[in-house]
Amino acid sequence: MKKLLAVLLALSMAFALVACGGNGGNNTADNTANNTNNTGDNTANNAGDSGDAEQPGAGKTVGIAMPTQSSERWINDGANMKAQLEALGYEVVLQYAEDDVQMQVSQIENMVAQMVDCLVIAAVDSGALTAVEAQAKNAGIPIVAYDRLLMDTDAVSYYASFDNKGVGTAIAEYIVEAKDLEGARAAGESYTIEFFMGSPDDNNAVLLHQGIMEVLQPYLDDGTLVCKTGRTSFDETCILRWSQETAQQWCENYLSGFYADEDLDIVCSAFDGFAYGCRSALESAGYTEENWPLITGQDAELMAVKNIISGKQTMSIYKDTRLLAEKCVTMVNAVVNGTEPEINDTETYDNGVLVVPSYLCTPVAVDINNYEELLIDGGYYTAEQLAE
Ligand code: GAL
């Protein structure tokens, strides 16, 4: 009981700590790494040295392998998890692989060699880690998959993520409502649309596309939505490593070719980074307030929310990285201390070898009408950050 109380106390402290940041670690005003997450941060920090045996993480180390610092969200994910784990007494080794598969493999190999007590992995390429995952399993090191499912391995114990298909449906339903596609259909009107989908080596991207098409396919079929490039399948619209530059290039090409004589009305983008790229392409092509398209995104990054406020992006998907980190931390605690974490899905996430027990958080659409309530009142960003 005493131990349980200590755990609860530590958890609430972790939240206080995160909340005190005002924004769950979202302090970076731009996409550059902040001081908590250096790529070379290979040394365990001092929080676990307190030697407080009551803390569940006392004397234990967690290795966190994150994909990249090029996108603000992963910086926040890493910072949130590090803070929460340290508040429970864990030592943390946090590394970013800058979207380099080989770099991530060697980072995890090093963590295995260091004999960390648990690994948390958000993969660069979800299927490319099978060998190092097997090494971890042989060494008795449990693995928790963070946000991106780890494919083709039996070495993963749990998965913490958002409802990824739900992200797709939320984006598509937003488009249906904002453009009143039912009304357009009844009036025989149409809107042009192009798709910018996520990385083919990320299971999230596949599910997101499925969610989008479940809602939008009927409107494409009856001509209410017109995709002039004809590129609607996942294979035709996926962008390797979620590259903003590729999205921008594609958008530039589309605008100068297929859309030379007609406006693009809807940019259906699966990621805030794509929305930034498309924004640049649209500006270069001379789009103004008059014909600015509806642009979707995902992650509610600080820059995306600023763009929503200025009208350059229409919506994003808010995925509270504090909550995701919290769920992941409970999984780490469970595997390290031999208890059962809370899970809410045991059917969806089949990685090709096993169905991974998961906790899925709920994604929420954010736009100009609800960003204050969701993000400022919710303590994710401060009004000052958004005003900068
Ligand atoms: C995905 C994730 C998205 C977005 C994307 C690019 O795995 O689900 O929220 O962050 O990676 O980083």
Side-chain angles (χ1 to χ4, degrees):
M1 187 62 193
K2 201 171 160 209
K3 190 162 182 184
L4 181 70
L5 277 174
V7 172
L8 287 174
L9 184 70
L11 262 175
S12 64
M13 275 168 59
F15 279 108
L17 214 146
V18 165
C20 284
N23 56 3
N26 296 294
N27 287 320
T28 43
D30 57 24
N31 279 351
T32 54
N34 66 17
N35 54 8
T36 51
N37 298 292
N38 296 329
T39 317
D41 181 7
N42 201 9
T43 49
N45 66 43
N46 54 14
D49 297 342
S50 63
D52 182 351
E54 290 294 333
Q55 289 199 294
K60 307 217 170 85
T61 304
V62 179
I64 305 177
M66 287 276 136
T68 177
Q69 293 178 106
S70 68
S71 158
E72 176 196 304
R73 72 147 293 183
W74 297 113
I75 297 174
N76 298 334
D77 286 281
N80 290 337
M81 227 170 342
K82 190 165 186 276
Q84 293 184 25
L85 285 166
E86 286 176 357
L88 294 172
Y90 287 97
E91 295 190 9
V92 175
V93 178
L94 170 62
Q95 293 211 307
Y96 285 84
E98 306 317 333
D99 274 338
D100 179 330
V101 179
Q102 266 324 303
M103 188 191 292
Q104 189 164 55
V105 169
S106 16
Q107 288 175 341
I108 300 171
E109 275 171 357
N110 284 336
M111 292 174 188
V112 172
Q114 265 180 263
M115 283 306 289
V116 296
D117 295 279
C118 182
L119 280 166
V120 173
I121 303 175
V124 172
D125 176 338
S126 306
L129 301 172
T130 49
V132 71
E133 285 156 352
Q135 282 172 28
K137 188 175 181 196
N138 290 338
I141 302 171
I143 301 177
V144 175
Y146 187 84
D147 204 36
R148 296 175 175 172
L149 186 60
L150 294 166
M151 306 304 285
D152 309 318
T153 177
D154 67 353
V156 55
S157 304
Y158 293 106
Y159 177 44
S161 188
F162 282 80
D163 172 359
N164 289 292
K165 198 170 168 196
V167 173
T169 30
I171 290 175
E173 279 164 1
Y174 187 93
I175 293 173
V176 171
E177 279 200 23
K179 286 291 184 193
D180 186 17
L181 293 191
E182 282 304 308
R185 174 186 270 161
E189 290 164 357
S190 66
Y191 290 105
T192 55
I193 185 167
E194 292 299 333
F195 298 89
F196 301 83
M197 295 293 109
S199 194
D201 51 15
D202 183 345
N203 188 55
N204 292 357
V206 180
L207 292 176
L208 191 154
H209 179 263
Q210 280 172 12
I212 284 185
M213 285 308 161
E214 227 173 67
V215 178
L216 295 189
Q217 191 64 53
Y219 298 101
L220 287 162
D221 290 344
D222 69 14
T224 309
L225 288 176
V226 178
C227 177
K228 294 188 84 172
T229 65
R231 296 170 69 161
T232 58
S233 71
F234 181 70
D235 288 350
E236 291 164 317
T237 55
C238 62
I239 296 180
L240 188 65
R241 302 281 129 75
W242 300 86
S243 158
Q244 174 176 329
E245 292 70 30
T246 308
Q248 179 168 342
Q249 250 170 37
W250 283 15
C251 194
E252 281 166 3
N253 293 343
Y254 295 173
L255 295 178
S256 60
F258 293 92
Y259 293 90
D261 303 318
E262 189 180 350
D263 286 346
L264 173 58
D265 300 320
I266 303 166
V267 172
C268 183
S269 127
F271 172 44
D272 286 342
F274 298 160
Y276 311 149
C278 292
R279 172 194 169 164
S280 300
L282 287 154
E283 278 170 349
S284 307
Y287 277 71
T288 63
E289 235 175 78
E290 301 303 307
N291 58 350
W292 197 258
L294 185 165
I295 305 180
T296 67
Q298 176 183 204
D299 287 346
E301 290 194 335
L302 184 58
M303 199 195 296
V305 182
K306 287 181 177 180
N307 288 344
I308 287 175
I309 294 168
S310 70
K312 294 293 183 188
Q313 185 170 328
T314 315
M315 63 85 73
S316 186
I317 296 292
Y318 170 43
K319 298 164 85 173
D320 187 343
T321 51
R322 299 167 300 185
L323 182 64
L324 186 60
E326 179 202 329
K327 294 302 171 189
C328 185
V329 166
T330 64
M331 289 172 174
V332 170
N333 254 327
V335 285
V336 170
N337 295 306
T339 56
E340 295 281 322
E342 183 189 2
I343 52 173
N344 63 6
D345 187 293
T346 50
E347 285 167 15
T348 313
Y349 286 91
D350 186 340
N351 76 352
V353 177
L354 62 107
V355 180
V356 185
S358 308
Y359 190 96
L360 305 178
C361 308
T362 308
V364 185
V366 58
D367 71 358
I368 193 72
N369 299 312
N370 65 356
Y371 82 91
E372 281 173 314
E373 186 189 337
L374 274 182
L375 304 176
I376 300 179
D377 299 351
Y380 203 64
Y381 297 122
T382 61
E384 290 71 38
Q385 281 177 302
L386 292 173
E388 269 161 25

